[in-house]
Amino acid sequence: MATTVTAPRRSLARILFGPPLSTADAPHQAISKRVALAVFASDALSSVAYATQEILIVLALAGAAVFGLSIPIALVIAGLLIIVTISYRQTIYAYPTGGGAYIVSRHNLGLNVAQVAGAALLTDYILTVAVSISNGVEQIASFAQELHPYKVQIALAVIWAITLINLRGVKESGRAFAIPTYFFITLMALTLGAGLIQLLTGTLGAVTPREFIEHQAQPLTVLLVLRAFASGCTALTGIEAISDGVPAFKEPRSRNAALTLTVLVAILTTTFLGITLLAHQVDAYAFEGMTETVMSQIGRTIFGEGALYVLLLMATAIILLMAANTSFADFPRVANFMAQDGFLPRQLTYRGRRLVFHWGIVVLAAMASLLVIMFDAETTRLIPLYAVGVFLSFTLSQSGMVRRWRAIGRLRPGEHAELHGFPVQHDPRWRLKMFISGFGATMTGIVMLIFAVAKFREGAWIVVILIPTLVFIFFRIHSHYKDVARILGQGTRWPNIRPRPVKTLVLVDDVHAGTIHTINFAKSLGVPWTAVHVAIDPDKAERVKQKWQERIGDEAYLTLLPSPYRNLADPVHRYIEDLLKEIPQGFIHVIVGHLVMDNLLEQALHQNAAIALNLALQDLDRATVTTVSYRLATRENGEGPQRVLSVSP
Amino acid sequence: MATTVTAPRRSLARILFGPPLSTADAPHQAISKRVALAVFASDALSSVAYATQEILIVLALAGAAVFGLSIPIALVIAGLLIIVTISYRQTIYAYPTGGGAYIVSRHNLGLNVAQVAGAALLTDYILTVAVSISNGVEQIASFAQELHPYKVQIALAVIWAITLINLRGVKESGRAFAIPTYFFITLMALTLGAGLIQLLTGTLGAVTPREFIEHQAQPLTVLLVLRAFASGCTALTGIEAISDGVPAFKEPRSRNAALTLTVLVAILTTTFLGITLLAHQVDAYAFEGMTETVMSQIGRTIFGEGALYVLLLMATAIILLMAANTSFADFPRVANFMAQDGFLPRQLTYRGRRLVFHWGIVVLAAMASLLVIMFDAETTRLIPLYAVGVFLSFTLSQSGMVRRWRAIGRLRPGEHAELHGFPVQHDPRWRLKMFISGFGATMTGIVMLIFAVAKFREGAWIVVILIPTLVFIFFRIHSHYKDVARILGQGTRWPNIRPRPVKTLVLVDDVHAGTIHTINFAKSLGVPWTAVHVAIDPDKAERVKQKWQERIGDEAYLTLLPSPYRNLADPVHRYIEDLLKEIPQGFIHVIVGHLVMDNLLEQALHQNAAIALNLALQDLDRATVTTVSYRLATRENGEGPQRVLSVSP
């Protein structure tokens, strides 16, 4: 009988999420460089889809005449990419067990600074989802213009589809991830190749605009160039993924991971520069609110509006989808680390039935959805929020490495030491490495400041406020958990387990079979008990009193509690408060019957007073509440299914 | 100490809704005809704001040349108004205690047919709110055009403001209601008067359009005329309000109510015809999606764009607001009747702390909000859903009266009889009365059919599906309550209250002061008990086991339940299932500790396993769950506030 109630709920969960996985099922498998490139590349490569376009949209404020500036800006960004890559290769060698910004900060800068990195990372992952999905929808809507009015709805549907897939748990089979990444790389190669040939043969045309181009006439200021540069810096997002994922590589892990990072950045730099060059050559247009992406303009200019054009946009949309999906692995993992350290709610460390951190996944999806709704799924409006978090985590991670090299520099050859509780050992090349990490940290720090200042009014202020707020909340959570642990721990010094007086009180709504069952439990405890009815409806109270005296009067006395304000819990609360004063050390044991239905809809037709009372009385020390459930069950009795009370009193 | 937790919550409720009212506070006061007119008129009069305009919008599909048809259409509607009024005067005399469609159907056509009337009425009240508020916003937006993009948001804000006011409880002081009604009537009189003078002196101008008028070129078909007529029939909505409210009148109640209805309909007919005539004379334009209402066009043509024009639109918006407010009294009252009869959830009969049926108010507001969102707060898109329910309730109410007169006709003079359990007595004029009610029922029935067919594709289909669905749901709810009452009643035949064996089980998460408190309660019951820990984290389980043996091992044995799927409730569920088999008549008593925080935010940082377990185990017959709460309380101990455990174990 018991399973009839829970079976539907469980099978719905089974359909949606699949059968539960045992803790022993957690998979571990090492992947080759080729697969690893595909797994870790999507986040980094996907930024090619919007980085160039966002540079142009800012420059467009000063008119299309200054679009040529996109080339030097892109070259500076490429230089930055190379600096950060060299710095991150060192992190990969130093952390063969995975060196994300939270771990590196925690090891080298301490638990408190790590919370800043944590706040930056969590913000960044949420924005990765919002930006990638919004831009993916924009790519698709570039060739299916009729989808434009539904951008927000489509983006939300996609986010929750990814959420569902991740709640089911994505197997670490890199092969499935490899297909879209190599599909995208292939189409990028085709586009850049075809574009280059057309350029060299003089057959590269110019974009025929599909929409009315909005001309602007702001003067070209340094701030505007910095804003364009800041927008383009989103090209760097995602390159830290490999340093996080070193343990997934085959041995020699660090070497393979570093090599993969180098290849990835080479591809990324080439594509980013190539797309920027082509955008300039085909006279791509750009302005905030345009309905066609720059990628789409390049595609149809080079390929015409045929299959290759559609494939290019599809590949772009899919790589963006994969990038968003990466966050669904990263956010819950970082949240789990932080929750284990006590800076986030403990629930984030629970692995669900499918071994995934389901709370983290749901929180990420909810936050990303909120952003998509707030910013109308417009990439250009989301970008100003994006890169502050990314560059803050870059800066902290590399600063952590500087601290590490300095500590190592103090060691003699062969000597070991501890830094924030983690071992470090001598390295003769620490000076060079410290310089590289320091240079990287300085560069990314400067970009972060440029970004925060240049994009402040456009939205970066939100993140500038948000990250310290998050850090503050993390510390509040941490001090809460410490307090609770300390207070609960104190009591264990007094092992005074001893019986106290107990007064038992049965709450009676009406006199029926369920009441008899509830009273049976009270009587089974073998102690004296009394009953109470809250007289919300005075007429009903009289009827209940009469039925009680006819049928149960011999067992116990029924007290009627007046309730002039028609409230159930308040009179009971006051009554128990008075009783508690009579037994200063004892317990008041309240017993409540609870009618349980087979389904939630029918359950909602009943008062469910037991649940309300449990909540209303929980603030009363020494008052305990027992729920005695009885169900309406469906039983087969030869004449077809019939509903009966599950307990026969 | 106890009040520290609940006080903030209560004072928020006090600020929002005011102090609680005692059941004895329910007011009863009779009102004069003049005030009654104001109280009951708003719903009926407010339809003048849109009825003419909606006729024109339909006619506009065949071009402005056929706008002249609005005059004969309005005359037919005026005739219909008079027929229905004569019929409803009879209902007023027959039901001095109030004769709404639900009551009249219930008395004369039976409980089952009454559910159809109930479904029609509830639908109608929801639509009254959605249509009135949407149209009110359109009136205001006609002179404040910049509000147009925010129509939906404004409409939602207004709906929830009215909701809040009604949750506080509106005193039956008709005087406050009188001001806006007479304000509206005055401005209507001014408009019609000024318009008539200008017409007679030949100084009435034509509207200068403010927007681009969309010309249509459909042929004028009979269906189109019927659709225009159906739209205009919304002028009849609200005239049934007085028959509902007879008890509020001074004695002789029925006479005063009937007189008030006649005056109301006279004003309504005059205004409706006058506005329709003026709209035609000033060449008012109309098309779906226009941004200026016909009322606004008439106003600024007659008065110019001065103060009187703005006052007219404000008066119109306010009367529409009052009409919506009427539904906030009617919907919860009808829902209460239906819930008392067992066809709606019982919660709808609860009066809240302010003596209002708070659930009904909230459901109405939620449904109306949904409609406003779905139909973009466009009156023209909501109208096709509106009148089917209204005319269905008219038809049922009058058919009920026909049935009543026929039953009366069978009685001899002086004889009494019962109809569906309610008394009726002889009336010599039953034949005439039956004819009048029958004629009214036939007319409104025909209009209902015209409406359902002519407006089917525009949205009436929704209501045509919705009302039978609602009736089906009502009957399902009714049979559910009957089942439950029958099944629970059966048990009272067996007065077998007797003690059964009880096994007590303490659920242990960790060993701390809260655990000691929980164990103290178990021990106080004076029966043997054992303890159980669910080993979600095997390492933690070992530590708990060890602490248990050091500190509590002498008291009871701690069983570790394995949980390979990291679930808390499932292993406990299975364990109890097994234990229950060992004691086929007995109870398993599960005791769970519950850490309570001062606020919900901190509470959310904890697992709250007690709540989850209460739900997870409720399907197990003979398993009872006791929650033992212990709080982190803030206490003053001389050195400032300090957090301590509320119970000292």
Side-chain angles (χ1 to χ4, degrees):
Chain A
M1 288 308 298
T3 50
T4 52
V5 170
T6 44
R9 184 158 41 100
R10 290 197 184 158
S11 60
L12 178 66
R14 193 173 277 262
I15 291 164
L16 284 175
F17 309 123
L21 294 175
S22 159
T23 312
D25 293 345
H28 289 98
Q29 101 192 59
I31 52 178
S32 70
K33 286 195 290 293
R34 202 164 305 173
V35 174
L37 179 63
V39 170
F40 295 111
S42 62
D43 195 3
L45 286 185
S46 67
S47 50
V48 169
Y50 47 81
T52 302
Q53 166 179 316
E54 296 305 320
I55 296 175
L56 294 178
I57 286 178
V58 176
L59 290 177
L61 294 173
V66 302
F67 276 9
L69 278 177
S70 61
I71 308 287
I73 288 174
L75 286 171
V76 174
I77 293 168
L80 194 63
L81 250 171
I82 292 163
I83 294 168
V84 174
T85 305
I86 296 172
S87 176
Y88 262 81
R89 280 177 57 99
Q90 300 191 151
T91 308
I92 289 171
Y93 278 104
Y95 284 89
T97 54
Y102 184 75
I103 298 288
V104 174
S105 306
R106 193 171 178 285
H107 281 211
N108 301 305
L109 304 170
L111 202 52
N112 295 349
V113 179
Q115 302 318 313
V116 181
L121 284 172
L122 296 184
T123 315
D124 171 26
Y125 293 137
I126 294 167
L127 279 156
T128 299
V129 174
V131 168
S132 302
I133 299 297
S134 297
N135 196 249
V137 174
E138 281 164 9
Q139 302 291 353
I140 298 293
S142 289
F143 70 85
Q145 290 273 335
E146 58 276 20
L147 298 180
H148 253 280
Y150 310 104
K151 269 167 60 182
V152 173
Q153 288 90 328
I154 296 171
L156 292 178
V158 172
I159 288 175
W160 289 95
I162 302 180
T163 305
L164 194 62
I165 290 167
N166 278 280
L167 286 174
R168 284 187 73 102
V170 181
K171 283 239 183 75
E172 280 180 30
S173 82
R175 254 162 279 275
F177 283 67
I179 297 165
T181 306
Y182 284 111
F183 179 47
F184 178 72
I185 293 176
T186 307
L187 274 152
M188 278 290 116
L190 276 175
T191 309
L192 296 179
L196 202 66
I197 291 168
Q198 291 181 2
L199 183 63
L200 295 177
T201 58
T203 55
L204 184 63
V207 173
T208 29
R210 275 190 191 151
E211 54 197 311
F212 178 76
I213 301 171
E214 292 174 20
H215 290 285
Q216 303 279 334
Q218 284 186 25
L220 180 70
T221 58
V222 175
L223 183 67
L224 200 70
V225 176
L226 287 180
R227 279 172 58 196
F229 166 71
S231 286
C233 282
T234 52
L236 270 79
T237 57
I239 62 162
E240 76 288 358
I242 289 180
S243 65
D244 250 0
V246 188
F249 283 81
K250 282 191 180 150
E251 291 287 2
R253 292 192 296 198
S254 291
R255 211 186 111 80
N256 282 329
L259 198 63
T260 308
L261 176 63
T262 309
V263 173
L264 165 61
V265 172
I267 297 172
L268 173 60
T269 312
T270 313
T271 349
F272 172 58
L273 290 176
I275 291 291
T276 309
L277 180 71
L278 282 180
H280 186 56
Q281 294 297 333
V282 300
D283 288 335
Y285 61 88
F287 57 90
E288 194 175 336
M290 63 181 180
T291 60
E292 186 182 11
T293 62
V294 166
M295 189 65 88
S296 165
Q297 296 174 41
I298 294 174
R300 69 183 166 88
T301 306
I302 292 177
F303 298 128
E305 299 198 22
L308 271 174
Y309 162 63
V310 174
L311 280 179
L312 171 65
L313 292 187
M314 281 178 55
T316 311
I318 292 172
I319 198 90
L320 286 160
L321 197 74
M322 303 303 294
N325 189 64
T326 309
S327 286
F328 276 85
D330 292 340
F331 181 98
R333 201 192 53 239
V334 171
N336 169 46
F337 288 148
M338 293 174 65
Q340 278 181 354
D341 291 340
F343 288 91
L344 273 180
R346 203 168 289 159
Q347 287 89 331
L348 290 163
T349 67
Y350 301 164
R351 282 181 185 271
R353 35 186 288 126
R354 295 285 294 178
L355 275 166
V356 295
F357 298 114
H358 52 295
W359 278 109
I361 292 171
V362 171
V363 169
L364 172 64
M367 291 291 148
S369 299
L370 191 70
L371 283 178
V372 163
I373 294 170
M374 280 172 61
F375 294 94
D376 285 334
E378 299 269 357
T379 309
T380 309
R381 292 177 58 199
L382 283 162
I383 288 289
L385 282 75
Y386 195 7
V388 175
V390 177
F391 280 87
L392 179 54
S393 71
F394 281 158
T395 309
L396 286 171
S397 170
Q398 294 174 106
S399 304
M401 293 307 289
V402 171
R403 182 84 165 270
R404 184 183 172 88
W405 303 128
R406 209 176 54 192
I408 286 173
R410 290 198 210 96
L411 300 178
R412 263 178 281 265
E415 194 184 353
H416 288 63
E418 280 204 343
L419 189 63
H420 290 281
F422 301 95
V424 287
Q425 63 186 68
H426 176 76
D427 185 328
R429 296 169 64 210
W430 67 272
R431 258 180 232 279
L432 174 66
K433 290 182 172 179
M434 187 170 86
F435 173 77
I436 291 171
S437 296
F439 187 64
T442 312
M443 287 296 118
T444 52
I446 290 171
V447 173
M448 180 188 71
L449 288 177
I450 290 175
F451 203 105
V453 172
K455 296 274 184 185
F456 192 81
R457 282 186 53 196
E458 280 75 32
W461 65 270
I462 298 176
V463 180
V464 169
I465 292 170
L466 182 67
I467 289 180
T469 311
L470 284 177
V471 172
F472 175 75
I473 293 171
F474 297 162
F475 277 97
R476 285 294 300 270
I477 291 174
H478 193 236
S479 85
H480 171 83
Y481 280 131
K482 277 200 300 192
D483 278 359
V484 170
R486 178 181 54 76
I487 293 164
L488 286 181
Q490 282 169 352
T492 48
R493 275 180 277 147
W494 317 309
N496 48 353
I497 298 168
R498 55 184 169 76
R500 321 275 175 105
V502 180
K503 278 199 181 177
T504 307
L505 212 62
V506 178
L507 228 72
V508 172
D509 174 52
D510 202 341
V511 179
H512 51 57
T515 318
I516 307 285
H517 180 66
T518 311
I519 290 172
N520 271 338
F521 174 70
K523 189 153 178 160
S524 301
L525 291 176
V527 290
W529 57 278
T530 56
V532 157
H533 171 78
V534 181
I536 293 174
D537 176 347
D539 297 338
K540 181 184 166 186
E542 274 313 305
R543 289 198 302 275
V544 171
K545 180 86 188 173
Q546 199 179 336
K547 279 199 256 180
W548 182 271
Q549 270 155 356
E550 284 167 17
R551 291 171 193 168
I552 308 158
D554 299 340
E555 295 284 338
Y557 184 76
L558 176 71
T559 307
L560 294 187
L561 296 181
S563 179
Y565 299 109
R566 301 161 307 284
N567 187 306
L568 178 72
D570 284 352
V572 178
H573 198 281
R574 274 192 298 274
Y575 186 68
I576 294 175
E577 274 179 83
D578 292 342
L579 287 180
L580 280 169
K581 283 177 201 146
E582 294 173 18
I583 42 167
Q585 292 289 314
F587 290 99
I588 302 295
H589 182 196
V590 183
I591 302 177
V592 197
H594 178 47
L595 178 61
V596 179
M597 294 291 152
D598 275 355
N599 60 63
L600 278 177
L601 276 181
E602 285 186 285
Q603 194 74 56
L605 292 176
H606 295 271
Q607 203 180 359
N608 301 309
I611 297 167
L613 274 167
N614 248 308
L615 291 176
L617 302 181
Q618 68 179 13
D619 64 310
L620 284 177
D621 306 328
R622 300 181 287 118
T624 63
V625 181
T626 300
T627 309
V628 179
S629 301
Y630 40 92
R631 287 184 310 133
L632 282 206
T634 308
R635 272 191 194 141
E636 191 61 52
N637 69 345
E639 304 163 25
Q642 214 183 343
R643 300 193 84 175
V644 294
L645 199 66
S646 64
V647 289
S648 46
Chain B
M1 289 307 297
T3 50
T4 52
V5 170
T6 45
R9 184 158 41 101
R10 288 195 187 162
S11 60
L12 178 65
R14 193 173 276 261
I15 291 165
L16 283 175
F17 309 123
L21 294 175
S22 159
T23 311
D25 293 345
H28 288 97
Q29 100 192 62
I31 52 177
S32 70
K33 286 195 291 294
R34 202 164 305 173
V35 173
L37 179 65
V39 171
F40 295 112
S42 62
D43 194 3
L45 287 184
S46 67
S47 50
V48 169
Y50 46 82
T52 303
Q53 166 179 316
E54 296 304 320
I55 296 175
L56 294 178
I57 286 178
V58 176
L59 291 177
L61 295 174
V66 301
F67 275 9
L69 277 176
S70 60
I71 308 287
I73 289 174
L75 286 171
V76 174
I77 292 167
L80 193 64
L81 249 170
I82 292 162
I83 295 168
V84 174
T85 304
I86 296 172
S87 176
Y88 262 82
R89 280 177 58 98
Q90 301 192 149
T91 307
I92 288 172
Y93 279 102
Y95 284 89
T97 54
Y102 185 75
I103 299 288
V104 173
S105 305
R106 192 170 178 285
H107 282 209
N108 301 304
L109 303 171
L111 202 51
N112 295 349
V113 179
Q115 301 319 312
V116 181
L121 284 171
L122 295 184
T123 315
D124 172 25
Y125 294 137
I126 295 167
L127 279 155
T128 299
V129 174
V131 168
S132 302
I133 299 297
S134 298
N135 195 247
V137 175
E138 280 164 11
Q139 302 290 357
I140 298 294
S142 288
F143 70 83
Q145 289 274 336
E146 58 277 21
L147 298 180
H148 253 280
Y150 309 105
K151 269 166 61 181
V152 172
Q153 289 90 328
I154 296 170
L156 292 177
V158 172
I159 288 175
W160 289 95
I162 302 180
T163 305
L164 194 62
I165 291 167
N166 278 279
L167 286 175
R168 282 187 75 100
V170 181
K171 282 239 182 75
E172 281 180 30
S173 81
R175 256 163 277 276
F177 283 69
I179 298 166
T181 306
Y182 285 110
F183 180 48
F184 178 71
I185 293 176
T186 307
L187 275 153
M188 278 291 116
L190 276 176
T191 309
L192 296 180
L196 201 65
I197 291 168
Q198 290 181 2
L199 182 62
L200 295 177
T201 57
T203 57
L204 184 63
V207 173
T208 29
R210 272 193 192 149
E211 54 197 311
F212 178 76
I213 301 171
E214 293 174 19
H215 291 286
Q216 302 280 332
Q218 283 186 25
L220 181 70
T221 58
V222 174
L223 183 68
L224 199 70
V225 175
L226 287 179
R227 278 173 56 197
F229 166 72
S231 285
C233 281
T234 52
L236 271 78
T237 56
I239 62 162
E240 76 288 357
I242 289 180
S243 66
D244 249 3
V246 188
F249 283 82
K250 282 191 181 151
E251 292 286 2
R253 291 192 296 199
S254 291
R255 213 186 108 80
N256 282 331
L259 199 62
T260 308
L261 175 63
T262 310
V263 173
L264 165 61
V265 172
I267 296 173
L268 172 61
T269 312
T270 313
T271 348
F272 172 56
L273 289 176
I275 290 291
T276 309
L277 180 71
L278 282 180
H280 185 55
Q281 294 296 335
V282 300
D283 288 336
Y285 61 88
F287 57 90
E288 193 174 334
M290 64 182 181
T291 60
E292 185 182 12
T293 61
V294 167
M295 189 66 87
S296 165
Q297 296 174 41
I298 294 175
R300 69 184 166 88
T301 307
I302 292 176
F303 298 128
E305 299 198 21
L308 272 175
Y309 161 64
V310 174
L311 280 179
L312 171 67
L313 291 187
M314 279 177 56
T316 311
I318 292 171
I319 197 91
L320 285 161
L321 197 73
M322 302 303 294
N325 189 63
T326 310
S327 286
F328 276 86
D330 292 340
F331 182 99
R333 202 193 52 240
V334 170
N336 168 46
F337 288 147
M338 294 175 65
Q340 278 179 354
D341 291 339
F343 287 90
L344 274 180
R346 202 167 287 159
Q347 288 88 332
L348 290 163
T349 67
Y350 300 164
R351 281 180 186 270
R353 36 185 287 127
R354 297 284 294 179
L355 275 168
V356 295
F357 298 113
H358 52 294
W359 277 110
I361 291 171
V362 171
V363 169
L364 172 63
M367 291 291 149
S369 300
L370 190 70
L371 283 179
V372 164
I373 294 170
M374 279 171 61
F375 294 93
D376 285 333
E378 299 269 356
T379 310
T380 309
R381 293 177 58 198
L382 284 162
I383 288 289
L385 282 75
Y386 196 8
V388 174
V390 177
F391 280 85
L392 178 54
S393 70
F394 282 157
T395 310
L396 285 172
S397 169
Q398 295 174 104
S399 304
M401 293 307 290
V402 171
R403 182 84 166 270
R404 183 183 172 89
W405 303 127
R406 210 176 55 193
I408 286 173
R410 290 199 209 94
L411 300 178
R412 263 177 283 266
E415 194 184 354
H416 288 62
E418 279 204 344
L419 188 65
H420 290 281
F422 300 96
V424 288
Q425 61 187 66
H426 176 76
D427 184 326
R429 296 167 65 208
W430 67 271
R431 257 180 233 279
L432 174 66
K433 290 184 170 175
M434 187 170 86
F435 173 76
I436 291 171
S437 295
F439 187 64
T442 313
M443 287 297 117
T444 52
I446 290 171
V447 173
M448 180 188 71
L449 288 178
I450 289 176
F451 203 105
V453 172
K455 296 273 185 186
F456 192 81
R457 282 186 51 197
E458 281 74 32
W461 64 269
I462 298 175
V463 180
V464 169
I465 292 170
L466 182 67
I467 289 180
T469 311
L470 285 177
V471 172
F472 175 76
I473 294 171
F474 297 163
F475 277 96
R476 285 293 302 269
I477 291 173
H478 192 235
S479 84
H480 171 83
Y481 281 131
K482 277 200 302 191
D483 278 0
V484 171
R486 178 181 54 75
I487 294 164
L488 286 181
Q490 283 170 350
T492 47
R493 276 181 276 149
W494 316 308
N496 48 353
I497 299 169
R498 55 183 168 76
R500 321 274 176 104
V502 179
K503 277 199 181 175
T504 307
L505 213 62
V506 177
L507 229 72
V508 172
D509 174 52
D510 203 342
V511 178
H512 51 56
T515 318
I516 307 284
H517 180 66
T518 312
I519 290 171
N520 271 339
F521 174 70
K523 188 151 179 165
S524 301
L525 291 175
V527 290
W529 57 277
T530 56
V532 157
H533 171 79
V534 181
I536 292 174
D537 176 348
D539 298 337
K540 180 183 167 187
E542 275 313 307
R543 289 198 301 275
V544 171
K545 180 87 188 173
Q546 200 179 334
K547 279 198 255 181
W548 183 271
Q549 271 157 356
E550 284 167 17
R551 290 170 194 170
I552 309 157
D554 298 340
E555 295 285 338
Y557 184 75
L558 176 71
T559 306
L560 295 187
L561 296 182
S563 179
Y565 299 108
R566 302 160 306 284
N567 186 307
L568 178 71
D570 283 353
V572 178
H573 198 281
R574 275 191 297 274
Y575 187 67
I576 294 174
E577 274 178 83
D578 291 341
L579 287 179
L580 281 169
K581 283 179 201 144
E582 294 172 18
I583 43 167
Q585 292 289 314
F587 289 99
I588 303 296
H589 183 197
V590 183
I591 301 176
V592 197
H594 178 47
L595 179 61
V596 179
M597 295 291 152
D598 274 356
N599 60 63
L600 279 177
L601 276 181
E602 284 185 286
Q603 194 74 55
L605 291 177
H606 296 271
Q607 202 181 1
N608 300 309
I611 297 167
L613 274 167
N614 248 308
L615 291 174
L617 302 181
Q618 67 179 14
D619 64 310
L620 284 177
D621 307 328
R622 300 182 285 119
T624 64
V625 181
T626 299
T627 309
V628 179
S629 301
Y630 39 91
R631 288 184 308 132
L632 282 206
T634 308
R635 274 194 192 137
E636 191 61 52
N637 68 346
E639 303 164 27
Q642 213 182 345
R643 299 193 86 175
V644 294
L645 199 66
S646 64
V647 289
S648 44

